């Protein structure tokens, strides 16, 4: 709880911009208007991305100005559409949690009728133990390139 409070206040926030293009958790897909889109290394849900707010350290939507909120949701619209058009899932979950890292980021999670948690949120377990399915680098790059292609759709 103490660590979370420090992170909430912006001390040592691992998601503040600028951040590395690659980490143990993601690879950069593209910077958008006020956020950057990353492809998660964990591809249990094929196409799982995170859209991280770049404007400044902010933890909750209500901390944004209306202008920042609109720019962020415009980015979200483009990002989730590009993911949908890339992986053609049965459904998609879009979530802001921030229970571990309280810096605004959307999880964009394609869902499939044969996925391990169909019918439920992907977050389970106490404490949360994510499943880990990784893809070969070439497949990750191909996914990334196709998402970039669809980000240009109008
Ligand atoms: Zn932050």
């Amino acid at each position: 709880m103490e660590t979370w409070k420090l992170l909430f206040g912006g001390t040592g926030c691992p998601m503040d911009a600028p951040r590395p293009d690659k980490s143990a958790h993601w690879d950069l897909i593209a910077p958008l208007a006020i956020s950057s889109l990353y492809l998660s290394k964990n591809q249990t849900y094929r196409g799982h991305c995170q859209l991280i707010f770049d404007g400044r350290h902010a933890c909750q939507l209500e901390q944004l100005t209306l202008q920042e909120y609109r720019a962020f949701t415009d980015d979200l619209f483009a990002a989730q559409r590009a993911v949908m058009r890339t992986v053609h899932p049965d459904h998609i979950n879009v979530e802001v949690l921030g229970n571990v890292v309280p810096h605004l980021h959307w999880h964009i999670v394609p869902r499939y009728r044969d996925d391990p948690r169909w019918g439920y949120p992907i977050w389970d377990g106490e404490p949360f133990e994510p499943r880990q399915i990784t893809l070969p680098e070439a497949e990750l790059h191909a996914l990334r390139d196709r998402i970039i292609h669809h980000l240009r759709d109008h």
Side-chain angles (χ1 to χ4, degrees), residues 7 10 13-17 56-59 102-104:
L7 289 173
C13 177
M15 286 193 182
D16 281 354
R56 58 194 166 85
H57 178 72
C59 307
H103 178 111
L104 272 177

Side-chain angles (χ1 to χ4, degrees), residues 4 7-10 13 53 56-64 96-98 101-105:
W4 189 87
L7 289 173
F8 189 91
C13 177
F53 186 68
R56 58 194 166 85
H57 178 72
C59 307
Q60 296 164 346
L61 291 172
E62 67 91 20
Q63 294 172 340
L64 301 183
V96 171
L97 298 166
V101 179
H103 178 111
L104 272 177
H105 59 288

Side-chain angles (χ1 to χ4, degrees), residues 1 3 6 9-10 24 39 43 53 55-56 61 65 81 92 96 103-104 112-114 116 123 133 138 146 154:
M1 185 60 190
T3 303
L6 286 170
L39 185 61
Q43 286 291 303
F53 186 68
R56 58 194 166 85
L61 291 172
T65 65
R81 187 181 60 183
I92 194 160
V96 171
H103 178 111
L104 272 177
Y112 306 88
R113 273 174 286 192
D114 62 351
W123 319 99
I133 294 178
R146 280 171 27 227
H154 290 289

Side-chain angles (χ1 to χ4, degrees), residues 2-139:
E2 204 48 47
T3 303
W4 189 87
K5 272 192 170 169
L6 286 170
L7 289 173
F8 189 91
T11 302
C13 177
M15 286 193 182
D16 281 354
R19 65 188 79 81
D21 289 356
K22 285 179 173 294
S23 79
H25 305 293
W26 64 61
D27 290 334
L28 179 68
I29 296 173
L32 304 181
I34 201 165
S35 56
S36 295
L37 184 62
Y38 296 85
L39 185 61
S40 298
K41 299 266 196 207
N42 184 352
Q43 286 291 303
T44 301
Y45 304 90
R46 193 178 182 82
H48 186 165
C49 290
Q50 294 180 52
L51 183 68
I52 305 177
F53 186 68
D54 289 337
R56 58 194 166 85
H57 178 72
C59 307
Q60 296 164 346
L61 291 172
E62 67 91 20
Q63 294 172 340
L64 301 183
T65 65
L66 193 53
Q67 191 177 22
E68 287 172 330
Y69 174 78
R70 286 179 175 151
F72 197 22
T73 52
D74 281 355
D75 284 353
L76 175 63
F77 179 80
Q80 61 81 33
R81 187 181 60 183
V83 171
M84 289 292 280
R85 290 178 178 182
T86 297
V87 295
H88 307 288
D90 295 305
H91 189 48
I92 194 160
N93 292 166
V94 175
E95 303 169 284
V96 171
L97 298 166
N99 301 315
V100 178
V101 179
H103 178 111
L104 272 177
H105 59 288
W106 298 97
H107 283 273
I108 299 170
V109 190
R111 300 302 306 268
Y112 306 88
R113 273 174 286 192
D114 62 351
D115 80 35
R117 296 276 301 164
W118 180 251
Y120 301 93
I122 67 165
W123 319 99
D124 67 333
E126 187 63 49
F128 174 59
E129 287 184 41
R131 293 166 180 81
Q132 283 285 343
I133 294 178
T134 53
L135 299 177
E137 276 294 303
E139 265 188 72

